[in-house]
Protein backbone atom coordinates (compact mmCIF):
# COMPACT_ATOMS: atom_id res chain seq x y z
CA UNK A 1 0.00 0.00 0.00
CA UNK A 2 1.25 3.45 -0.85
CA UNK A 3 1.45 5.72 2.19
CA UNK A 4 2.41 8.98 0.48
CA UNK A 5 1.79 10.33 -3.00
CA UNK A 6 3.75 12.94 -4.92
CA UNK A 7 1.75 16.12 -5.57
CA UNK A 8 4.55 18.36 -6.80
CA UNK A 9 8.20 19.31 -6.79
CA UNK A 10 9.84 22.37 -5.28
CA UNK A 11 11.89 23.74 -8.16
CA UNK A 12 13.05 27.01 -6.66
CA UNK A 13 12.54 29.68 -4.06
CA UNK A 14 10.55 32.83 -4.81
CA UNK A 15 11.51 36.18 -3.28
CA UNK A 16 12.90 36.46 0.25
CA UNK A 17 9.89 35.67 2.46
CA UNK A 18 10.13 31.85 2.30
CA UNK A 19 7.89 31.25 -0.68
CA UNK A 20 8.71 28.26 -2.91
CA UNK A 21 7.99 27.68 -6.59
CA UNK A 22 6.30 24.32 -7.18
CA UNK A 23 5.61 22.33 -10.33
CA UNK A 24 2.39 20.49 -9.52
CA UNK A 25 1.43 17.08 -10.80
CA UNK A 26 -1.91 16.97 -9.02
CA UNK A 27 -5.31 17.29 -10.63
CA UNK A 28 -6.54 18.57 -7.26
CA UNK A 29 -4.34 21.62 -6.72
CA UNK A 30 -7.11 23.61 -5.04
CA UNK A 31 -7.45 20.87 -2.43
CA UNK A 32 -3.78 19.88 -2.10
CA UNK A 33 -2.45 23.44 -1.76
CA UNK A 34 -5.30 25.11 0.11
CA UNK A 35 -4.46 27.13 3.21
CA UNK A 36 -4.06 24.73 6.11
CA UNK A 37 -3.33 21.66 3.95
CA UNK A 38 -0.77 19.30 5.45
CA UNK A 39 2.01 18.20 3.14
CA UNK A 40 5.39 16.56 3.51
CA UNK A 41 8.70 17.58 1.96
CA UNK A 42 10.87 14.58 1.06
CA UNK A 43 14.27 15.95 2.06
CA UNK A 44 16.88 13.26 1.40
CA UNK A 45 14.49 10.51 2.52
CA UNK A 46 13.31 12.36 5.63
CA UNK A 47 9.68 13.50 5.52
CA UNK A 48 9.37 17.06 6.83
CA UNK A 49 5.75 17.93 7.74
CA UNK A 50 4.63 21.39 6.58
CA UNK A 51 1.33 23.26 6.57
CA UNK A 52 0.35 25.58 3.72
CA UNK A 53 0.12 29.21 4.83
CA UNK A 54 -0.51 30.78 1.41
CA UNK A 55 -1.00 29.56 -2.16
CA UNK A 56 -1.09 31.50 -5.41
CA UNK A 57 -0.17 30.85 -9.00
CA UNK A 58 2.38 32.62 -11.17
CA UNK A 59 2.76 31.60 -14.82
CA UNK A 60 2.91 27.77 -14.81
CA UNK A 61 3.97 27.50 -11.18
CA UNK A 62 2.25 27.26 -7.83
CA UNK A 63 3.79 29.52 -5.20
CA UNK A 64 3.50 28.16 -1.67
CA UNK A 65 4.45 29.58 1.68
CA UNK A 66 4.51 27.29 4.69
CA UNK A 67 3.68 28.02 8.32
CA UNK A 68 6.86 28.72 10.38
CA UNK A 69 9.12 29.00 7.30
CA UNK A 70 9.45 32.78 7.04
CA UNK A 71 12.64 33.39 5.08
CA UNK A 72 14.44 32.21 1.96
CA UNK A 73 17.09 30.66 4.24
CA UNK A 74 14.40 28.39 5.75
CA UNK A 75 13.38 26.92 2.37
CA UNK A 76 16.52 27.10 0.20
CA UNK A 77 17.56 23.58 1.23
CA UNK A 78 14.29 22.15 -0.15
CA UNK A 79 14.96 23.06 -3.79
CA UNK A 80 14.59 19.89 -5.87
CA UNK A 81 12.57 18.09 -3.17
CA UNK A 82 9.27 16.33 -3.79
CA UNK A 83 6.06 17.46 -2.08
CA UNK A 84 3.95 14.58 -0.80
CA UNK A 85 0.48 14.11 0.63
CA UNK A 86 -0.55 11.36 3.03
CA UNK A 87 -2.65 8.81 1.12
CA UNK A 88 -5.39 8.96 3.77
CA UNK A 89 -6.25 12.41 2.39
CA UNK A 90 -7.17 11.08 -1.06
CA UNK A 91 -10.69 11.82 -2.25
CA UNK A 92 -13.04 9.24 -3.70
CA UNK A 93 -13.11 9.50 -7.48
CA UNK A 94 -16.00 9.06 -9.89
CA UNK A 95 -16.29 5.91 -12.01
CA UNK A 96 -13.75 5.87 -14.84
CA UNK A 97 -11.48 8.30 -12.94
CA UNK A 98 -8.13 7.16 -11.61
CA UNK A 99 -5.17 8.49 -9.69
CA UNK A 100 -1.90 8.55 -11.61
CA UNK A 101 -0.29 6.08 -9.21
CA UNK A 102 -3.06 3.60 -10.07
CA UNK A 103 -2.42 3.85 -13.83
CA UNK A 104 1.38 4.08 -13.96
CA UNK A 105 2.78 0.55 -14.02
CA UNK A 106 -0.29 -1.03 -15.65
CA UNK A 107 0.32 -3.44 -18.52
CA UNK A 108 -1.37 -2.46 -21.75
CA UNK A 109 -2.81 -5.05 -24.10
CA UNK A 110 -4.95 -4.85 -27.20
CA UNK A 111 -8.53 -6.14 -27.31
CA UNK A 112 -7.23 -9.26 -29.09
CA UNK A 113 -4.69 -9.97 -26.33
CA UNK A 114 -1.42 -8.61 -27.78
CA UNK A 115 0.77 -7.17 -25.00
CA UNK A 116 2.06 -3.69 -25.92
CA UNK A 117 4.01 -2.58 -22.86
CA UNK A 118 3.70 -0.79 -19.53
CA UNK A 119 2.36 2.68 -18.76
CA UNK A 120 5.38 4.73 -17.70
CA UNK A 121 4.05 8.30 -17.61
CA UNK A 122 0.93 10.40 -18.09
CA UNK A 123 0.85 13.58 -20.16
CA UNK A 124 -1.81 16.21 -19.54
CA UNK A 125 -2.83 17.70 -22.86
CA UNK A 126 -5.86 19.70 -21.80
CA UNK A 127 -8.39 17.76 -23.88
CA UNK A 128 -7.58 14.36 -22.37
CA UNK A 129 -4.69 12.60 -20.69
CA UNK A 130 -2.24 10.65 -22.84
CA UNK A 131 -0.69 7.52 -21.39
CA UNK A 132 2.95 6.88 -22.35
CA UNK A 133 3.50 3.15 -22.90
CA UNK A 134 7.09 1.84 -22.77
CA UNK A 135 7.59 -0.90 -25.37
CA UNK A 136 10.54 -3.27 -25.65
CA UNK A 137 12.75 -2.48 -28.61
CA UNK A 138 10.34 0.12 -30.01
CA UNK A 139 9.60 3.76 -29.39
CA UNK A 140 7.02 4.66 -26.76
CA UNK A 141 3.36 4.48 -27.71
CA UNK A 142 1.12 7.43 -26.84
CA UNK A 143 -2.36 6.22 -25.92
CA UNK A 144 -5.10 8.85 -25.50
CA UNK A 145 -7.42 8.22 -22.57
CA UNK A 146 -10.65 8.36 -24.56
CA UNK A 147 -13.58 5.94 -24.76
CA UNK A 148 -12.84 4.94 -28.39
CA UNK A 149 -9.39 3.68 -27.38
CA UNK A 150 -9.37 2.65 -23.69
CA UNK A 151 -11.88 -0.17 -23.32
CA UNK A 152 -11.13 -1.50 -19.83
CA UNK A 153 -9.01 -0.49 -16.86
CA UNK A 154 -8.50 -3.11 -14.15
CA UNK A 155 -6.70 -1.44 -11.26
CA UNK A 156 -6.63 -4.65 -9.18
CA UNK A 157 -4.93 -6.63 -11.98
CA UNK A 158 -2.89 -3.59 -13.16
CA UNK A 159 -4.03 -4.08 -16.76
CA UNK A 160 -5.47 -1.78 -19.42
CA UNK A 161 -7.19 -3.09 -22.54
CA UNK A 162 -7.26 -0.82 -25.59
CA UNK A 163 -8.78 -0.85 -29.05
CA UNK A 164 -5.83 -0.38 -31.37
CA UNK A 165 -7.17 2.15 -33.84
CA UNK A 166 -5.45 2.54 -37.21
CA UNK A 167 -2.48 4.92 -36.97
CA UNK A 168 -2.38 4.89 -33.18
CA UNK A 169 1.08 3.32 -33.00
Amino acid sequence: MIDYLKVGKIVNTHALQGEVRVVSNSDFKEERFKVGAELFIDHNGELIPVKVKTHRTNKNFDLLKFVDLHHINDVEKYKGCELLVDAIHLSELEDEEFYYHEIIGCQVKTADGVMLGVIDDILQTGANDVWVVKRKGEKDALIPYIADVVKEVDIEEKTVTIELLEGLI
Side-chain angles (χ1 to χ4, degrees):
M1 170 103 188
I2 296 176
D3 295 323
Y4 298 92
L5 297 173
K6 178 180 164 186
V7 294
K9 183 175 186 173
I10 299 172
V11 294
N12 211 341
T13 57
H14 186 81
L16 299 175
Q17 276 66 50
E19 208 167 28
V20 292
R21 187 175 296 177
V22 173
V23 173
S24 170
N25 67 335
S26 175
D27 282 338
F28 306 98
K29 291 195 307 188
E30 299 79 22
E31 182 181 335
R32 299 289 173 242
F33 301 148
K34 71 181 177 190
V35 173
E38 296 179 4
L39 300 172
F40 295 86
I41 299 172
D42 183 351
H43 185 246
N44 300 321
E46 179 185 356
L47 296 183
I48 312 295
V50 292
K51 188 176 282 193
V52 177
K53 182 175 181 178
T54 64
H55 171 241
R56 62 190 178 102
T57 56
N58 181 291
K59 299 181 183 170
N60 293 332
F61 299 100
D62 289 279
L63 301 178
L64 300 176
K65 188 164 172 45
F66 302 115
V67 173
D68 296 330
L69 299 176
H70 306 291
H71 193 269
I72 189 172
N73 294 338
D74 298 330
V75 295
E76 183 90 42
K77 62 187 169 201
Y78 299 130
K79 285 198 304 191
C81 292
E82 304 290 346
L83 271 179
L84 310 172
V85 66
D86 192 319
I88 64 171
H89 296 297
L90 294 181
S91 306
E92 286 293 318
L93 298 178
E94 301 290 324
D95 288 343
E96 304 304 314
E97 290 185 335
F98 308 97
Y99 285 106
Y100 285 6
H101 74 273
E102 294 176 312
I103 297 301
I104 292 175
C106 284
Q107 293 191 3
V108 178
K109 63 181 179 179
T110 64
D112 54 1
V114 176
M115 204 53 81
L116 291 180
V118 176
I119 298 173
D120 182 60
D121 197 5
I122 298 174
L123 306 175
Q124 295 176 318
T125 64
N128 55 267
D129 286 349
V130 175
W131 297 347
V132 179
V133 178
K134 288 276 183 211
R135 302 186 303 160
K136 287 186 180 175
E138 299 181 62
K139 69 179 191 172
D140 296 347
L142 301 177
I143 307 298
Y145 180 53
I146 56 174
D148 287 347
V149 175
V150 178
K151 296 303 179 186
E152 182 185 359
V153 177
D154 187 335
I155 295 303
E156 299 298 318
E157 295 294 321
K158 297 291 281 180
T159 60
V160 172
T161 304
I162 67 166
E163 184 68 40
L164 194 56
L165 301 178
E166 189 172 330
L168 194 58
I169 2 185

